[in-house]
Amino acid sequence: MTAQLIDGNALSKQLRTQVAADTVKLKAQGLTPGLAVVLVGDNPASQVYVRNKVKACEEAGLHSVLEKYEATLSEADLLARVEALNNDSSIHGILVQLPLPAHIDAQKVIEAISPAKDVDGFHIASAGALMTGLPGQEKSGFWPCTPYGCMKMLESIGYDLKGKHAVVIGRSNIVGKPMALMLLQQDATVTVAHSRTQNLKALTLQADVIVAAVGKRNVLTADMVKPGAVVLDVGMNRNPEGKLCGDVDFDGVKEVASYITPVPGGVGPMTITMLLVNTLESAQRALSEKQ
Ligand code: NAP
């Protein structure tokens, strides 16, 4: 058996076309969705991420602003910038690129973002929204982009999570934990594994769906996967040849799974796409509040 690919590039293209079409409609009503991306310091990976986010906005017709600051920017000055963006009616989404320099309390900065503009979904209000609603049904807050992208990938293959056993490997606040809550919202039975988990293989062998979000190569190998399982690979690592790869031993696992996401071209492009989806959603909420 060879798994079918869940193509993150193709699905992203489809969703971004929809975002662009909805943006045209919003503009016709006098509102242009706007995203502000704030970068502090010169972390090379962050520079690539913010550039890609701004480029994706432009391609979909959204307004975007990139604010770049020296690594020496004070926490107070960053908080003041966030407050100004909270009050800027042309901005519907605020993203402060992480990591921040060590002298800045990242959580404090995230909590300073208005929940109505927290399109990254990291605010505590967004965590609360995860407990109470499905996307679009929350009153405030947004689903974090990477796990939200994973849910879209499952939706794209028509996968019904009801009663299925999902194993999430990784429990970070930005991927593993919100992923587990989203799967739970869709009536899956969820197990969350982490670095202290004993006998991971015994758990993954029971899983109908496995989400690997660890950041280590070959965390999931073919012998750990039940035939026909769906495997989503969030990991981003480099192999010894310097090639981008995920947490999953793709070549082995694809012979056992029914569906699998590749790296690159899987979850990665979906993350930026869901940022656009959240920014559009935020603008739509702002418009309906005005009406
Ligand atoms: P993180 O904060 O480092 O969390 C990693 C998690 O993996 C932790 O919960 C850790 O457990 C767990 N873990 C470590 N070793 C393990 C093992 N041997 N078995 C089981 N669990 C283990 O990382 P993250 O931010 O969630 O990101 C995870 C990966 O996804 C990274 O490769 C990152 O680059 C990638 N990522 C990709 C995207 C995308 O757009 N594609 C977005 C975000 C992240 P403890 O909690 O016990 O330490």
Side-chain angles (χ1 to χ4, degrees), residues 35-40 46-47 49-54 58 63-69 91 95 97:
L35 175 72
V37 179
V38 180
L39 176 65
V40 184
S46 293
Q47 292 195 2
Y49 295 149
V50 298
R51 215 179 308 132
N52 289 343
K53 287 167 187 175
V54 167
E58 282 164 6
H63 164 61
S64 64
V65 182
L66 174 57
E67 295 193 6
K68 283 185 175 181
Y69 298 102
I91 295 299
L95 184 154
Q97 185 66 43

Side-chain angles (χ1 to χ4, degrees), residues 98-119:
L98 302 178
L100 287 168
H103 66 278
I104 298 178
D105 180 345
Q107 199 55 39
K108 196 168 168 186
V109 174
I110 289 165
E111 298 310 327
I113 297 171
S114 161
K117 298 189 180 187
D118 172 42
V119 288

Side-chain angles (χ1 to χ4, degrees), residues 52-225:
N52 289 343
K53 287 167 187 175
V54 167
K55 187 165 158 255
C57 276
E58 282 164 6
E59 284 169 1
L62 280 75
H63 164 61
S64 64
V65 182
L66 174 57
E67 295 193 6
K68 283 185 175 181
Y69 298 102
E70 297 290 325
T72 50
L73 183 78
S74 72
E75 184 182 280
D77 285 348
L78 179 57
L79 289 170
R81 272 316 301 152
V82 168
E83 189 52 25
L85 292 167
N86 282 341
N87 295 321
D88 182 341
S89 61
S90 72
I91 295 299
H92 305 93
I94 303 170
L95 184 154
V96 178
Q97 185 66 43
L98 302 178
L100 287 168
H103 66 278
I104 298 178
D105 180 345
Q107 199 55 39
K108 196 168 168 186
V109 174
I110 289 165
E111 298 310 327
I113 297 171
S114 161
K117 298 189 180 187
D118 172 42
V119 288
D120 240 352
F122 296 162
H123 195 285
I124 194 75
S126 289
L130 272 175
M131 312 236 182
T132 53
L134 297 169
Q137 293 177 356
E138 326 89 337
K139 294 207 171 40
S140 66
F142 295 89
W143 282 28
C145 299
T146 299
Y148 191 7
C150 290
M151 294 305 282
K152 278 283 170 197
M153 292 182 117
L154 291 174
E155 192 186 304
S156 76
I157 58 165
Y159 195 82
D160 183 2
L161 282 160
K162 200 170 294 154
K164 297 290 187 346
H165 185 194
V167 172
V168 179
I169 317 175
R171 57 170 166 181
S172 71
N173 289 342
I174 63 165
V175 188
K177 280 181 197 151
M179 185 77 248
L181 283 171
M182 289 178 197
L183 292 162
L184 204 53
Q185 288 282 11
Q186 306 274 2
D187 296 328
T189 302
V190 183
T191 300
V192 183
H194 46 80
S195 68
R196 310 293 168 89
T197 296
Q198 291 179 11
N199 203 353
L200 180 63
K201 181 176 170 179
L203 297 172
T204 55
L205 275 174
Q206 294 173 37
D208 302 301
V209 176
I210 303 171
V211 181
V214 174
K216 286 182 187 156
R217 285 170 53 226
N218 298 330
V219 157
L220 192 75
T221 47
D223 58 312
M224 299 168 75
V225 177

